[in-house]
Amino acid sequence: MKKPLLHAIFYILFTTLLLETGCSKKTAVVTNPPTVTTQDVMLDVTSTSAQSGGTVTGVGSSALTANGVCYSTTNTTPTVDDSKTTDPIITYSYTYISNITGLTANTKYYVRAYVTNAYGTGYGKVVSFTTSSTTSTKQGKVTPLAGNATPGYADGLGAAAQFDTPGGIAVDGSGNMYVADVFNNRIRKITPDGNVSTFAGDGNSGHLNGTGTAAEFYAPQGLAVDGNGNVYVADYGNNMIRKITPAGEVSDFAGNGTAGYVEGAAASAEFRGPYGLAFDTQGNLYVADNGNNMIRKITSAGVVSNVAGKTVAGYTDVTVNATTGVNALFRHPSGVVVDATGNIFVADGGNSAIRQITPAGVVTTVAGGTVQASLIGNANGIAIDQQGDLYITDGLGRVIELTSEKLLYVLAGNSNVAGFADGTGPAVKFNVPQGIAVDAAGNIYIVDSNNNMVRKMVVVEVAPNPDAS
């Protein structure tokens, strides 16, 4: 009577074994190709060469076998069947730079990054650029304007003047410059020929309104000048925005002096370490609120609001169905400018990025970012010229131009090389460049903070060095 039970048990065990071995389904083989994004900006474009690159966002189902960029003058979506670079295969970094050579002068090219593995090729978006019509390249020629290497306080002409770790700079309609002399707690004025005087501040760190040297500031940083010649100061240590009339009268413009985040009427609003300032064409003043990780707006009527960012530091763009930039994240923004159509550009130093905020509140990364930090470095200051080209100070030692066509040029200096040297292009040395401004004639002024100087730069065309590697 027990045999049927034993047979049943044996049948169950045998059936289960078959299901777990020979009768089970095979696992599907994953055959994903890799994915990549194309570098948004083109670097050092000449008549016959340029630099591009990509960032690998996913290696797919097998190791990479090739990566680079493909390009064409006729195919608007180039593939590896067109011209291409073949770069060292990515094994330890997900970002690469491609040197494109043998190009034709004054010709439009379409380029995009590619990566290949055993299961296919992935492509980034297409970026277009036009080669130069000449064999020369852009560089910056740097000369001294005011100050000397010794920190101190002295008015005077050129090298006779002294600053102590200056920060922000702004230019008025007559070409006069205003400099936030941070450790001297003063606002200095420099005429176009380099004559330095004290515009406001008595040198003590404090908060006091008054005229000229009767006023007090506390570690002032960014500056902006309106159409009437009034100078606005990001009074960093006082967490306020101050106003100086052309006659030197200092008053409070926005902020109650308490470090915090409050919107509303200017007198009751709160900032936390305001840094960069810029006006738009409507007379609104924008503030890079460094400690709050925000871009704030002050209307001409004196109402403060948040344009983009949150009090928490981070790195997030807002690009899909965006109606407001408040969901974007910045990390200690230090500079801000506004173009003629109302786009705001931010030197997001903590993220090594230049960010753009459209009038609709869409926030994107224009150049740099955490995966391409070497493009921008430690972005301290930002300025814009009449053509919409951006000029950026990299606190690591460079001055960079980013054109409205997204062509990037290192005009002067070298990353991670601190010192002092005038000259052209890579021969120049800075020591933590901070503020930057452009006058109506296109002259560029750089606050070389740790050299305690203001230096002048003009962009020149330089023939390539035939001995350069």
Side-chain angles (χ1 to χ4, degrees), residues 357-403:
I357 310 168
T358 70
V362 176
V363 180
T364 56
T365 298
V366 178
T370 53
V371 297
Q372 294 182 337
S374 61
L375 288 184
I376 299 298
N378 184 13
N380 279 337
I382 187 169
I384 191 167
D385 66 13
Q386 295 177 344
Q387 289 72 45
D389 298 332
L390 300 174
Y391 299 88
I392 302 134
T393 50
D394 174 3
L396 300 178
R398 303 178 298 174
V399 175
I400 299 165
E401 179 185 4
L402 179 61
T403 73

Side-chain angles (χ1 to χ4, degrees), residues 304-434:
V304 179
S305 61
N306 179 26
V307 175
K310 298 181 178 181
T311 54
V312 61
Y315 180 38
T316 303
D317 286 336
V318 177
T319 60
V320 180
N321 298 323
T323 57
T324 175
V326 296
N327 290 320
L329 294 179
F330 300 86
R331 190 178 301 278
H332 305 303
S334 55
V336 60
V337 292
V338 188
D339 71 11
T341 59
N343 295 297
I344 304 165
F345 295 91
V346 181
D348 190 6
N351 285 318
S352 300
I354 302 301
R355 315 281 292 280
Q356 178 181 347
I357 310 168
T358 70
V362 176
V363 180
T364 56
T365 298
V366 178
T370 53
V371 297
Q372 294 182 337
S374 61
L375 288 184
I376 299 298
N378 184 13
N380 279 337
I382 187 169
I384 191 167
D385 66 13
Q386 295 177 344
Q387 289 72 45
D389 298 332
L390 300 174
Y391 299 88
I392 302 134
T393 50
D394 174 3
L396 300 178
R398 303 178 298 174
V399 175
I400 299 165
E401 179 185 4
L402 179 61
T403 73
S404 56
E405 293 83 20
K406 288 192 175 183
L407 306 181
L408 188 146
Y409 299 90
V410 177
L411 295 178
N414 295 276
S415 184
N416 293 305
V417 178
F420 174 77
D422 289 324
T424 303
V428 177
K429 291 182 181 179
F430 299 100
N431 195 350
V432 191
Q434 292 268 0

Side-chain angles (χ1 to χ4, degrees), residues 236-240 256-262 269-274 292:
Y236 182 88
N238 281 317
N239 302 293
M240 301 178 76
N256 63 14
T258 300
Y261 170 59
V262 174
E270 291 181 359
F271 301 88
R272 189 182 299 275
N292 277 324

Side-chain angles (χ1 to χ4, degrees), residues 68-75 77-86 100-103 109-114 123:
V69 297
C70 48
Y71 54 97
S72 173
T73 60
T74 57
N75 186 357
T77 55
T79 71
V80 292
D81 293 329
D82 296 299
S83 299
K84 68 178 185 292
T85 66
T86 303
I100 309 172
T101 59
L103 305 180
Y109 284 85
Y110 302 92
V111 59
R112 60 175 173 168
Y114 77 88
Y123 296 97

